[in-house]
Amino acid sequence: MITSATGSTSFCLDRFSEGAGLDFRGRNNSRAKQKARNRVCHLLGIGSSAGHRWFAFGIMPNGLRLIKFRYLLEFVGCTLDETQNLTAEQRMLASHLALSVITPKHAAEVLKVSSDTLMNWATGRSPPNKDHARAIRRLLKPLTKEAKKKRRSWRRTLMSLNLISGPKTRSKEQPVATPALESTPPDALCDESDRVLVHVGAATGLDDRL
């Protein structure tokens, strides 16, 4: 089980690498360890060599891979400095991109912005304006069911690897993307568990609703 960490993405990466029990640094190359590492890499949509660079040497990804990487760290209970001031729309956008519910290209086309602008929103470099925030809510509303399905798949995989525990108590969970009507304030888009970008569940457990 991961000991939850608070700090920068780089700091939490180091804690994950040490505490995951998957031996990303390669001291134990048993078939079971290799299989477990490959399953984590599969969630992130990367190959084993990229996973080794990230987790063994602390080489940080960027763009969509950074979004997925942060999603994983928060899923296992880390609190990341870089995601604490994101808006509700940025949190939802990042989680949907991380889960591959929507692609950056499609999202950028629908929102009529450049890929760079979209990534700046999702990674926290800059927030969307009010018009774009409403557009993000409209875009994500039909994708709620698919997002929940993907989150359940992530939860099952991470539980099977002992990276998170079972849903014994209510805890902070992955933000459920339930974009409301345009007149709804951003803070009312999600329930209280959505105040952190992709904090699906601390290592103490997850809600059975997911």
Side-chain angles (χ1 to χ4, degrees):
M1 189 69 61
I2 302 299
T3 300
S4 59
T6 300
S8 67
T9 301
S10 179
F11 173 78
C12 291
L13 161 62
D14 189 61
R15 291 295 300 273
F16 179 86
S17 298
E18 291 179 355
L22 302 179
D23 193 20
F24 281 102
R25 291 185 168 89
R27 299 183 184 91
N28 184 337
N29 282 315
S30 68
R31 182 173 299 180
K33 292 290 186 182
Q34 289 178 9
K35 183 177 180 180
R37 290 194 292 266
N38 288 341
R39 291 180 69 190
V40 171
C41 291
H42 179 72
L43 283 179
L44 296 170
I46 61 174
S48 57
S49 60
H52 183 70
R53 290 195 299 273
W54 291 8
F55 297 114
F57 299 108
I59 298 175
M60 296 297 299
N62 53 38
L64 180 60
R65 288 184 169 183
L66 176 61
I67 293 168
K68 288 176 175 284
F69 186 54
R70 287 176 175 173
Y71 185 94
L72 171 66
L73 291 177
E74 292 201 312
F75 209 129
V76 300
C78 296
T79 300
L80 306 179
D81 293 343
E82 296 90 342
T83 66
Q84 296 309 296
N85 295 320
L86 298 183
T87 66
E89 293 81 12
Q90 285 174 292
R91 296 173 188 131
M92 291 187 294
L93 177 61
S95 65
H96 279 65
L97 291 171
L99 290 165
S100 299
V101 175
I102 190 169
T103 66
K105 181 179 179 180
H106 178 60
E109 288 176 351
V110 174
L111 296 171
K112 298 180 180 180
V113 297
S114 69
S115 296
D116 287 343
T117 295
L118 185 83
M119 284 297 149
N120 285 339
W121 294 344
T123 57
R125 292 192 184 95
S126 62
N129 61 31
K130 290 183 179 180
D131 289 339
H132 283 129
R134 286 193 292 267
I136 290 171
R137 297 199 293 272
R138 289 194 298 269
L139 171 64
L140 299 182
K141 184 176 181 179
L143 304 175
T144 302
K145 185 175 180 179
E146 180 65 17
K148 288 183 177 181
K149 180 180 177 181
K150 291 288 186 70
R151 285 192 290 271
R152 286 194 294 268
S153 177
W154 271 61
R155 183 181 68 174
R156 286 192 298 269
T157 297
L158 295 175
M159 285 178 62
S160 71
L161 295 173
N162 250 354
L163 298 181
I164 59 173
S165 61
K168 297 177 181 178
T169 59
R170 288 190 63 87
S171 179
K172 289 181 180 179
E173 64 184 35
Q174 174 67 25
V176 177
T178 52
L181 297 175
E182 294 186 15
S183 59
T184 305
D187 284 346
L189 294 178
C190 312
D191 61 33
E192 72 174 275
S193 64
D194 294 335
R195 302 305 175 227
V196 179
L197 163 64
V198 286
H199 217 300
V200 183
T204 55
L206 296 167
D207 190 335
D208 280 323
R209 290 186 301 108
L210 297 184

Coordinates of all heavy atoms in Angstrom, one line a residue, residues 6-44:
T6 N 2.4 14.3 0.3 CA 2.0 15.7 -0.1 C 3.2 16.4 -0.5 O 4.2 16.5 0.2 CB 1.3 16.4 1.1 OG1 0.2 15.7 1.5 CG2 0.9 17.8 0.7
G7 N 3.1 17.0 -1.7 CA 4.2 17.8 -2.2 C 4.2 17.9 -3.7 O 3.1 17.8 -4.3
S8 N 5.3 18.2 -4.3 CA 5.3 18.4 -5.8 C 5.1 17.0 -6.5 O 5.3 16.0 -5.8 CB 6.7 19.0 -6.2 OG 7.7 18.0 -5.9
T9 N 4.8 17.1 -7.7 CA 4.7 15.9 -8.5 C 6.0 15.0 -8.5 O 5.9 13.8 -8.3 CB 4.3 16.2 -10.0 OG1 3.1 16.9 -10.0 CG2 4.2 14.9 -10.8
S10 N 7.1 15.7 -8.6 CA 8.4 15.0 -8.5 C 8.6 14.3 -7.2 O 9.1 13.2 -7.1 CB 9.5 16.1 -8.8 OG 10.8 15.4 -8.7
F11 N 8.3 15.0 -6.1 CA 8.4 14.4 -4.8 C 7.5 13.2 -4.6 O 7.9 12.1 -4.1 CB 8.1 15.4 -3.7 CG 8.0 14.9 -2.3 CD1 9.2 14.6 -1.6 CD2 6.8 14.6 -1.7 CE1 9.2 14.1 -0.3 CE2 6.8 14.1 -0.4 CZ 8.0 13.8 0.3
C12 N 6.3 13.3 -5.0 CA 5.3 12.2 -4.9 C 5.7 11.0 -5.8 O 5.5 9.9 -5.5 CB 3.9 12.7 -5.2 SG 3.2 13.8 -3.9
L13 N 6.3 11.4 -7.0 CA 6.8 10.3 -7.9 C 7.8 9.5 -7.1 O 7.8 8.2 -7.2 CB 7.4 10.9 -9.1 CG 8.4 10.1 -9.9 CD1 7.7 8.8 -10.5 CD2 9.0 10.9 -11.0
D14 N 8.7 10.1 -6.4 CA 9.8 9.4 -5.7 C 9.2 8.5 -4.6 O 9.6 7.4 -4.4 CB 10.8 10.4 -5.1 CG 12.0 9.7 -4.5 OD1 12.7 9.0 -5.3 OD2 12.2 9.8 -3.3
R15 N 8.2 9.1 -3.9 CA 7.5 8.3 -2.9 C 6.8 7.1 -3.4 O 6.8 6.0 -2.9 CB 6.5 9.1 -2.1 CG 7.1 10.2 -1.2 CD 8.0 9.6 -0.1 NE 7.2 8.8 0.8 CZ 6.5 9.3 1.8 NH1 6.5 10.6 2.1 NH2 5.8 8.4 2.6
F16 N 6.2 7.3 -4.6 CA 5.5 6.2 -5.3 C 6.5 5.1 -5.7 O 6.2 3.9 -5.5 CB 4.7 6.7 -6.5 CG 4.0 5.6 -7.3 CD1 2.7 5.2 -6.9 CD2 4.6 4.9 -8.3 CE1 2.0 4.2 -7.6 CE2 3.9 3.9 -9.0 CZ 2.7 3.6 -8.7
S17 N 7.6 5.5 -6.3 CA 8.6 4.6 -6.7 C 9.1 3.7 -5.6 O 9.4 2.5 -5.7 CB 9.7 5.3 -7.4 OG 9.3 6.0 -8.6
E18 N 9.3 4.4 -4.4 CA 9.8 3.6 -3.3 C 8.7 2.8 -2.6 O 9.0 1.7 -2.1 CB 10.3 4.6 -2.2 CG 11.6 5.4 -2.7 CD 12.0 6.4 -1.6 OE1 11.3 6.5 -0.6 OE2 13.1 7.0 -1.8
G19 N 7.5 3.2 -2.6 CA 6.5 2.5 -1.8 C 5.5 1.6 -2.5 O 4.7 0.9 -1.9
A20 N 5.6 1.6 -3.9 CA 4.6 0.8 -4.6 C 4.8 -0.7 -4.5 O 3.9 -1.4 -4.8 CB 4.6 1.3 -6.1
G21 N 6.0 -1.1 -4.2 CA 6.3 -2.5 -4.1 C 6.4 -3.2 -5.5 O 6.4 -4.4 -5.6
L22 N 6.4 -2.4 -6.5 CA 6.5 -2.9 -7.9 C 8.0 -2.9 -8.4 O 8.2 -3.4 -9.5 CB 5.7 -2.1 -8.8 CG 4.2 -2.0 -8.5 CD1 3.4 -1.1 -9.5 CD2 3.6 -3.4 -8.4
D23 N 8.9 -2.3 -7.6 CA 10.3 -2.3 -7.9 C 10.6 -1.8 -9.3 O 11.2 -2.5 -10.1 CB 10.9 -3.7 -7.7 CG 12.4 -3.7 -7.7 OD1 13.0 -2.7 -7.5 OD2 13.0 -4.8 -8.0
F24 N 10.1 -0.6 -9.6 CA 10.4 0.0 -10.9 C 11.8 0.3 -11.1 O 12.2 0.4 -12.3 CB 9.6 1.4 -10.9 CG 8.2 1.3 -11.2 CD1 7.2 1.4 -10.2 CD2 7.7 1.0 -12.5 CE1 5.9 1.3 -10.4 CE2 6.4 0.8 -12.8 CZ 5.4 1.0 -11.7
R25 N 12.6 0.2 -10.1 CA 14.1 0.4 -10.3 C 14.8 -0.9 -10.7 O 16.0 -0.9 -11.0 CB 14.7 1.0 -9.0 CG 14.3 2.4 -8.7 CD 15.0 3.0 -7.5 NE 14.8 4.4 -7.4 CZ 13.7 5.0 -6.8 NH1 12.9 4.2 -6.1 NH2 13.6 6.3 -6.7
G26 N 14.0 -1.9 -10.8 CA 14.5 -3.1 -11.5 C 15.4 -4.1 -10.7 O 16.1 -4.9 -11.2
R27 N 15.4 -3.9 -9.4 CA 16.2 -4.8 -8.6 C 15.5 -6.2 -8.5 O 16.2 -7.2 -8.3 CB 16.3 -4.3 -7.1 CG 17.0 -3.0 -7.1 CD 17.2 -2.5 -5.6 NE 17.8 -1.2 -5.6 CZ 17.1 0.0 -5.5 NH1 15.8 -0.1 -5.5 NH2 17.7 1.1 -5.5
N28 N 14.2 -6.3 -8.7 CA 13.5 -7.6 -8.8 C 12.8 -7.7 -10.1 O 11.8 -7.0 -10.3 CB 12.5 -7.6 -7.6 CG 11.8 -9.0 -7.5 OD1 11.7 -9.7 -8.5 ND2 11.3 -9.3 -6.4
N29 N 13.3 -8.5 -11.0 CA 12.7 -8.7 -12.3 C 12.0 -10.0 -12.5 O 12.0 -10.6 -13.5 CB 13.8 -8.6 -13.4 CG 14.3 -7.1 -13.6 OD1 13.4 -6.2 -13.7 ND2 15.5 -6.9 -13.7
S30 N 11.4 -10.4 -11.4 CA 10.6 -11.6 -11.5 C 9.4 -11.4 -12.4 O 9.0 -10.2 -12.7 CB 10.0 -12.0 -10.1 OG 9.1 -11.0 -9.6
R31 N 8.8 -12.5 -12.9 CA 7.7 -12.4 -13.9 C 6.5 -11.6 -13.2 O 5.9 -10.8 -13.9 CB 7.3 -13.8 -14.3 CG 6.2 -13.8 -15.3 CD 5.9 -15.1 -15.9 NE 7.1 -15.7 -16.6 CZ 7.1 -16.9 -17.1 NH1 6.1 -17.7 -17.1 NH2 8.2 -17.3 -17.7
A32 N 6.3 -11.9 -12.0 CA 5.2 -11.2 -11.3 C 5.4 -9.7 -11.2 O 4.4 -8.9 -11.4 CB 5.0 -11.8 -9.9
K33 N 6.6 -9.3 -10.9 CA 6.9 -7.9 -10.8 C 6.8 -7.2 -12.1 O 6.2 -6.1 -12.3 CB 8.3 -7.7 -10.2 CG 8.5 -8.0 -8.7 CD 7.7 -7.1 -7.8 CE 8.0 -7.4 -6.4 NZ 7.3 -6.6 -5.4
Q34 N 7.3 -7.9 -13.2 CA 7.2 -7.3 -14.5 C 5.8 -7.2 -14.9 O 5.4 -6.2 -15.5 CB 8.0 -8.2 -15.5 CG 9.5 -8.2 -15.3 CD 10.2 -9.2 -16.3 OE1 9.5 -9.8 -17.1 NE2 11.5 -9.4 -16.1
K35 N 5.0 -8.2 -14.6 CA 3.5 -8.1 -15.0 C 2.8 -7.0 -14.3 O 2.0 -6.2 -14.9 CB 2.9 -9.4 -14.7 CG 1.4 -9.5 -15.1 CD 0.8 -10.9 -14.8 CE -0.7 -10.9 -15.2 NZ -1.2 -12.3 -14.9
A36 N 3.1 -6.8 -13.0 CA 2.5 -5.7 -12.2 C 2.9 -4.3 -12.8 O 2.1 -3.4 -12.9 CB 2.9 -5.8 -10.8
R37 N 4.2 -4.2 -13.1 CA 4.7 -2.9 -13.7 C 4.0 -2.6 -15.0 O 3.6 -1.5 -15.3 CB 6.2 -2.9 -13.8 CG 7.0 -2.9 -12.5 CD 8.4 -2.6 -12.7 NE 9.2 -3.6 -13.4 CZ 9.8 -4.6 -12.8 NH1 9.9 -4.7 -11.5 NH2 10.5 -5.5 -13.5
N38 N 3.9 -3.7 -15.8 CA 3.2 -3.5 -17.1 C 1.8 -3.1 -17.0 O 1.3 -2.3 -17.8 CB 3.3 -4.8 -17.9 CG 4.7 -5.1 -18.4 OD1 5.6 -4.2 -18.5 ND2 5.0 -6.3 -18.8
R39 N 1.1 -3.6 -16.0 CA -0.3 -3.2 -15.8 C -0.4 -1.7 -15.4 O -1.4 -1.0 -15.9 CB -1.0 -4.1 -14.7 CG -1.1 -5.5 -15.1 CD -1.7 -6.4 -14.0 NE -3.1 -6.0 -13.8 CZ -3.9 -6.4 -12.8 NH1 -3.3 -7.2 -11.9 NH2 -5.1 -6.1 -12.6
V40 N 0.5 -1.2 -14.6 CA 0.5 0.2 -14.3 C 0.8 1.0 -15.5 O 0.1 2.0 -15.8 CB 1.5 0.5 -13.2 CG1 1.7 2.0 -13.0 CG2 1.1 -0.1 -11.8
C41 N 1.7 0.6 -16.3 CA 2.1 1.3 -17.5 C 0.9 1.3 -18.5 O 0.6 2.3 -19.2 CB 3.3 0.7 -18.2 SG 4.8 1.0 -17.3
H42 N 0.2 0.2 -18.5 CA -1.0 0.1 -19.4 C -2.1 1.1 -19.0 O -2.7 1.8 -19.9 CB -1.6 -1.3 -19.4 CG -2.8 -1.5 -20.2 ND1 -2.8 -1.5 -21.6 CD2 -4.1 -1.6 -19.9 CE1 -4.0 -1.6 -22.1 NE2 -4.8 -1.7 -21.1
L43 N -2.3 1.3 -17.7 CA -3.2 2.3 -17.3 C -2.8 3.7 -17.8 O -3.7 4.5 -18.2 CB -3.3 2.4 -15.8 CG -4.1 1.3 -15.0 CD1 -4.0 1.5 -13.5 CD2 -5.5 1.2 -15.5
L44 N -1.5 4.0 -17.8 CA -1.0 5.3 -18.2 C -0.9 5.4 -19.7 O -0.6 6.5 -20.2 CB 0.3 5.5 -17.6 CG 0.3 5.6 -16.1 CD1 1.7 5.6 -15.5 CD2 -0.4 6.9 -15.6

